[in-house]
């Protein structure tokens, strides 16, 4: 009897711990390919280069099909314990902040808010997992079917962590949400199992991020070979990574006197109950370098949820 009870008790405890953990936020978006095919794109300058990006606002305002597909996947995921952020509501929130910022003025000078393109890019809905969906409708006589591709992408590492694809059985139904449901139902349980496996991994090993550090070209007598108490600055930073990453998990991919690149940096999910991203983790390192004996000013440059640059030696 004990041999049966103890495994069952362990199983119930693990399920209870998982249910109490804060699940990452998910959001369904149309794939880039779908947006390009339907001409729902825009151009933006990112770090001096012009890029074509999906225009989700235009897509949502113009495509009833997209709204129907997102709503159906939201319901299917919620039924399996995965509540999702709604893309349209997130876009409305961003628009509202844009409108508020456009009329804000300082009391003394009446100046508006200074906002760089980077600021606007950062002000997006911070979903942890992006569910990217692509689909096409097949017509065979009076019957229709849907071929779809659903990918779960980790917003921090940009790695695919779950996937499902296939073609539903031909149906006389003309409603896209029903066709989508019929097509994905056979694969949804396996898809959500992959997501749960990924969640288990980040709960145990932390989020995967990238941290860059660079010395500015300002003529200062400081680089990553500068010594503090018989240790080079690069060694000091590496030791800080050892002490502050989850299970000491990271990879130093590049190391020169002026540049350090740490990849596969596993950071805790939360800092005192607050979700932690690459920006927050880099600020912890910045605060460490500000203190004695280093007294080094640093500037944090946010490059997304999972990537951050620390400019060392100048703000």
């Amino acid at each position: 009897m004990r041999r049966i009870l103890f495994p069952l008790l362990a199983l119930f405890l693990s399920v209870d711990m998982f249910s109490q953990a804060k699940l990452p936020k998910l959001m369904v978006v149309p794939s880039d390919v779908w947006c390009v095919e339907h001409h729902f794109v825009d151009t933006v300058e990112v770090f001096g280069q012009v890029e074509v990006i999906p225009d989700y606002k235009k897509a949502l305002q113009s495509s009833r099909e997209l709204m129907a597909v997102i709503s159906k996947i939201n319901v299917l995921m919620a039924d399996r314990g995965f509540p999702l952020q709604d893309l349209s509501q997130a876009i409305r929130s961003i628009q509202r902040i844009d409108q508020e910022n456009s009329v804000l003025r300082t009391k003394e000078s009446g100046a508006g808010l200074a906002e760089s393109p980077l600021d606007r890019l950062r002000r997006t809905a911070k979903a942890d997992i992006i569910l990217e969906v692509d689909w096409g409708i097949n017509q065979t006589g009076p019957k229709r079917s849907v071929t779809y591709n659903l990918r779960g992408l980790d917003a921090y590492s940009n790695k695919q962590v779950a996937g499902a694809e296939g073609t539903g059985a031909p149906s006389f139904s003309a409603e896209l949400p029903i066709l989508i449901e019929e097509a994905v139902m056979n694969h949804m349980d396996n898809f959500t199992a992959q997501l749960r496996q990924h969640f288990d991994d980040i709960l145990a090993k932390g989020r995967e991020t990238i941290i860059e550090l660079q010395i500015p070209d300002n003529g200062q007598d400081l680089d990553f070979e500068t010594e503090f108490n018989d240790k080079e600055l690069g060694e000091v930073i590496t030791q800080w990574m050892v002490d502050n990453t989850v299970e000491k998990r990271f990879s130093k991919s590049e190391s020169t006197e002026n540049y350090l690149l740490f990849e596969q940096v596993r950071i805790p999910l939360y800092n005192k109950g607050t979700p932690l991203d690459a920006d927050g983790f880099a600020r912890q390192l910045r605060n460490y370098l500000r203190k004695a004996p280093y007294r080094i000013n640093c500037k944090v440059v946010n490059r997304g949820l999972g990537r951050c640059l620390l400019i060392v030696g100048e703000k």
Side-chain angles (χ1 to χ4, degrees):
M1 188 66 177
R2 287 184 177 180
R3 292 180 180 178
I4 297 174
L5 286 176
F6 283 127
L8 283 175
L9 179 61
L11 175 62
F12 290 144
L13 287 174
S14 65
V15 170
D16 183 62
M17 289 175 62
F18 183 85
S19 64
Q20 292 178 13
K22 297 179 182 178
L23 288 178
K25 293 183 288 186
L26 286 73
M27 179 179 289
V28 181
V29 303
S31 71
D32 290 3
V33 171
W34 186 90
C35 289
V36 170
E37 287 181 348
H38 292 80
H39 309 292
F40 298 135
V41 293
D42 197 2
T43 57
V44 63
E45 186 173 327
V46 181
F47 302 118
Q49 295 185 347
V50 176
E51 295 185 6
V52 176
I53 61 172
D55 188 338
Y56 297 135
K57 178 184 175 182
K58 183 179 179 181
L60 290 169
Q61 290 177 339
S62 306
S63 174
R64 291 183 181 275
E65 280 193 354
L66 174 60
M67 290 294 291
V69 169
I70 289 178
S71 296
K72 176 51 67 176
I73 294 178
N74 281 349
V75 169
L76 292 174
M77 294 296 293
D79 288 344
R80 288 160 175 78
F82 291 89
L84 281 80
Q85 281 189 305
D86 184 68
L87 177 60
S88 61
Q89 292 299 321
I91 290 176
R92 288 193 186 99
S93 297
I94 294 170
Q95 286 179 295
R96 185 172 62 253
I97 295 172
D98 280 340
Q99 292 167 354
E100 292 172 356
N101 286 350
S102 68
V103 298
L104 282 177
R105 294 291 183 271
T106 60
K107 288 184 178 179
E108 294 183 3
S109 65
L113 295 180
E115 185 176 46
S116 71
L118 281 176
D119 295 328
R120 292 181 60 82
L121 287 173
R122 284 198 297 266
R123 198 173 65 243
T124 57
K126 291 188 175 182
D128 299 281
I129 305 292
I130 300 297
L131 301 184
E132 186 183 79
V133 61
D134 185 22
W135 74 93
I137 299 177
N138 312 306
Q139 189 83 41
T140 306
K143 292 185 177 182
R144 301 202 309 168
S145 64
V146 164
T147 297
Y148 74 95
N149 184 10
L150 183 63
R151 300 197 301 159
L153 304 173
D154 189 304
Y156 289 77
S157 65
N158 293 321
K159 293 181 178 179
Q160 180 172 329
V161 297
E165 59 180 293
T167 300
S171 170
F172 288 105
S173 172
E175 296 184 9
L176 180 60
I178 296 176
L179 293 174
I180 284 286
E181 183 172 10
E182 291 173 348
V184 305
M185 281 298 290
N186 291 337
H187 301 278
M188 189 57 69
D189 289 338
N190 183 54
F191 182 77
T192 54
Q194 293 176 49
L195 288 178
R196 287 188 181 276
Q197 184 177 2
H198 178 64
F199 295 166
D200 285 341
D201 179 71
I202 63 176
L203 282 169
K205 301 176 184 176
R207 301 188 193 278
E208 187 174 317
T209 61
I210 296 174
I211 304 295
E212 298 175 272
L213 299 98
Q214 193 156 8
I215 302 294
D217 185 15
N218 60 2
Q220 66 180 345
D221 294 327
L222 175 74
D223 58 33
F224 294 122
E225 294 180 352
T226 302
E227 293 193 1
F228 296 88
N229 297 330
D230 298 326
K231 273 193 175 182
E232 292 185 354
L233 181 57
E235 295 175 313
V236 170
I237 292 170
T238 300
Q239 184 60 49
W240 186 91
M241 287 286 182
V242 170
D243 295 337
N244 289 273
T245 51
V246 178
E247 297 182 353
K248 303 177 175 56
R249 292 176 179 268
F250 67 91
S251 173
K252 186 194 286 187
S253 303
E254 292 187 43
S255 177
T256 70
E257 60 183 305
N258 294 311
Y259 182 72
L260 296 177
L261 174 62
F262 295 94
E263 296 183 301
Q264 298 175 317
V265 179
R266 292 284 191 152
I267 67 174
L269 268 70
Y270 302 99
N271 177 30
K272 298 179 181 178
T274 302
L276 184 65
D277 58 12
D279 180 87
F281 187 73
R283 290 179 187 279
Q284 292 178 1
L285 175 55
R286 177 202 63 183
N287 295 340
Y288 176 75
L289 293 177
R290 278 178 171 176
K291 298 176 182 178
Y294 314 112
R295 307 287 187 188
I296 301 172
N297 282 328
C298 300
K299 179 180 178 64
V300 177
V301 181
N302 190 323
R303 289 185 169 173
L305 287 175
R307 188 172 189 133
C308 202
L309 167 67
L310 201 63
I311 299 174
V312 179
E314 186 174 290
K315 290 198 68 173

